[in-house]
Amino acid sequence: MTLYTTLGTPIGELLLTSDGAALTGLYMPDHAHGPEVGAGWVSDDGAALFAATAEQLREYFGGGRRLFDLPLAPAGTLFQLRVWAELRRIPYGATVTYGDLARRLGDPGASRAVGLANGRNPISIIVPCHRVVGAGGKLTGYAGGLERKRFLLELEGGCLPGLTLTI
């Protein structure tokens, strides 16, 4: 069963999903490869996990949180899971290229595959796929849209006070 809620943020209303024990998704409006709320999904605005996620996102958008401490259960292939695990190692405020990630995974020729896996990341922001840029630092590709990617990178470059989230 998929539990879900929505969360109003400075980058639009996010769709949060859970399997009841862990966060399985965080999707932005018009998210490429994002799901539609399906038959059998259960709205659970009061779930403790969603409240904890909302609180940590409030802190992140307010400039006070650099790491997330939430149970995560992204669904993907073994390669995707490896890429997403490596994304979590990119420090707050830093960027790496797709080629950098491929080298970190031990396959320097896999930058295109890394890019595809990055684009399928189901837990945006918390698994920071926005920190991956093209060669030479070029702002490329983001399932949530390049303006949101730019916003998140700018946020991590300096706090944007006074932002609010609503659940």
Side-chain angles (χ1 to χ4, degrees), residues 83-152:
V83 169
W84 302 335
E86 196 61 39
L87 292 174
R88 297 198 68 206
R89 299 175 102 120
I90 303 169
Y92 179 95
T95 59
V96 300
T97 66
Y98 297 100
D100 293 334
L101 277 180
R103 284 186 288 283
R104 288 182 184 189
L105 292 168
D107 191 354
S111 59
R112 183 169 287 183
V114 164
L116 291 172
N118 194 57
R120 294 281 185 168
N121 171 24
I123 309 176
S124 298
I125 303 172
I126 294 169
V127 177
C129 52
H130 61 278
R131 296 178 187 157
V132 183
V133 296
K138 185 177 179 188
L139 192 65
T140 60
Y142 191 57
L146 287 181
E147 286 307 311
R148 288 188 183 103
K149 183 173 187 169
R150 182 183 323 278
F151 177 92
L152 294 170

Side-chain angles (χ1 to χ4, degrees), residues 2-9 11-18 23-31 33-38 41-45 50 53 57 121-126 148 166-167:
T2 300
L3 304 175
Y4 76 96
T5 194
T6 58
L7 176 66
T9 74
I11 58 171
E13 188 172 81
L14 304 180
L15 172 66
L16 306 177
T17 62
S18 168
L23 194 66
T24 57
L26 187 158
Y27 302 96
M28 299 173 196
D30 304 318
H31 195 110
H33 314 297
E36 297 288 327
V37 174
W41 284 32
V42 177
S43 176
D44 191 357
D45 296 339
F50 292 149
T53 302
L57 285 168
N121 171 24
I123 309 176
S124 298
I125 303 172
I126 294 169
R148 288 188 183 103
T166 56
I167 191 166

